[in-house]
Amino acid sequence: MEKVIAVDGPAGAGKSTVSKIVAAKLGYTYIDTGAMYRAVGLKFLRSGQDFDENFLAEITRDIEISLDENAKVFLDGEEVTKEIRTPEVSKLASDVSKYGFVRKKLTELQREMARQGSVIMDGRDIGTQVLPNADVKIFLTASLKERARRRFEELKAKGQAVTLDAVESEIAFRDKQDSEREIAPLAKADDAVLIDSTNMTVDEVVDSILRLVEV
């Protein structure tokens, strides 16, 4: 059973968590496209430059981003899995994703990854833009408060000093940016299955996806 699975949804919906588990159960490759945008944001942050479109285009042109079988993220050959998960990088990831040249570059990389075998890929525009012909499309969401609670617990467990209110504000801001951007806004594909995970456990969401894949 070799299928391409696209999982879209807003920040904090649990896309990465469930996609990793589904990939492991099916023996698929997991591709976290959000991590790729975070890597672009991190590269810009490291430059110390004020935000500048021309400079962003320059560093994106030859950027190298890869993910290994353990979902570790590499930027220009350096592992940055933990470094890309800070609130500052999260905001920059949403900022850089508004630019067509960034999306074009990463879409090319993502499609190339998908051609290498059975994959589950998550992000904001996978079913609508990156892999419109995916065999299974899912739009995973949850209430804003629940998504903020999950992200807050995740960041707290990693030792980051954040407040629940700050995390909720950041996610609400990203929701607005992602859904209102001109290029490839966050949207449910017409043929995607909606899964609202607000009152679901991770295992319940995973089982729902596996049933869809097995059809």
Side-chain angles (χ1 to χ4, degrees):
M1 177 177 59
E2 294 187 357
K3 294 184 177 181
V4 174
I5 307 168
V7 181
D8 289 310
K15 300 184 301 295
S16 297
T17 299
V18 300
S19 294
K20 287 176 186 176
I21 297 171
V22 170
K25 287 181 176 292
L26 294 175
Y28 278 25
T29 300
Y30 166 60
I31 300 172
D32 178 358
T33 63
M36 298 174 73
Y37 284 96
R38 287 170 177 270
V40 177
L42 176 61
K43 184 161 186 174
F44 198 102
L45 181 65
R46 285 177 165 182
S47 74
Q49 299 267 355
D50 290 332
F51 203 86
D52 176 80
E53 183 176 343
N54 292 328
F55 181 69
L56 177 61
E58 181 183 332
I59 66 171
T60 302
R61 190 174 300 113
D62 299 317
I63 197 168
E64 294 182 7
I65 303 170
S66 61
L67 292 83
D68 70 7
E69 64 276 9
N70 297 312
K72 291 181 179 179
V73 183
F74 295 83
L75 169 62
D76 296 330
E78 175 193 352
E79 187 194 342
V80 293
T81 310
K82 292 182 179 179
E83 202 171 348
I84 62 172
R85 296 296 171 183
T86 66
E88 190 173 13
V89 172
S90 292
K91 183 184 179 303
L92 270 173
S94 196
D95 289 341
V96 302
S97 70
K98 294 184 293 186
Y99 292 92
F101 55 83
V102 174
R103 302 199 74 84
K104 182 175 183 295
K105 174 69 174 183
L106 296 194
T107 294
E108 290 171 355
L109 293 176
Q110 291 153 12
R111 287 176 176 165
E112 180 59 33
M113 292 175 182
R115 282 193 286 268
Q116 296 175 11
S118 295
V119 302
I120 178 166
M121 185 180 294
D122 74 18
R124 301 288 196 281
D125 63 345
I126 310 307
T128 55
Q129 301 291 329
V130 180
L131 300 175
N133 298 316
D135 300 296
V136 178
K137 296 181 185 179
I138 294 147
F139 192 87
L140 181 63
T141 190
S143 69
L144 173 60
K145 287 191 177 299
E146 176 61 15
R147 288 185 285 127
R149 184 194 67 79
R150 293 173 185 174
R151 182 59 58 83
F152 172 70
E153 294 295 338
E154 176 188 349
L155 293 173
K156 189 170 67 171
K158 293 178 179 177
Q160 295 188 26
V162 293
T163 66
L164 181 57
D165 285 345
V167 173
E168 184 172 333
S169 294
E170 181 217 334
I171 290 180
F173 177 78
R174 289 184 63 193
D175 284 353
K176 186 173 179 2
Q177 274 197 320
D178 291 340
S179 60
E180 294 181 357
R181 66 177 177 240
E182 292 184 13
I183 301 171
L186 170 67
K188 175 183 171 295
D190 291 339
D191 54 348
V193 175
L194 175 67
I195 298 178
D196 186 333
S197 68
T198 303
N199 299 308
M200 298 174 70
T201 65
V202 171
D203 287 342
E204 287 172 337
V205 177
V206 169
D207 288 344
S208 296
I209 295 174
L210 290 176
R211 284 195 296 270
L212 291 170
V213 175
E214 291 165 0
V215 170

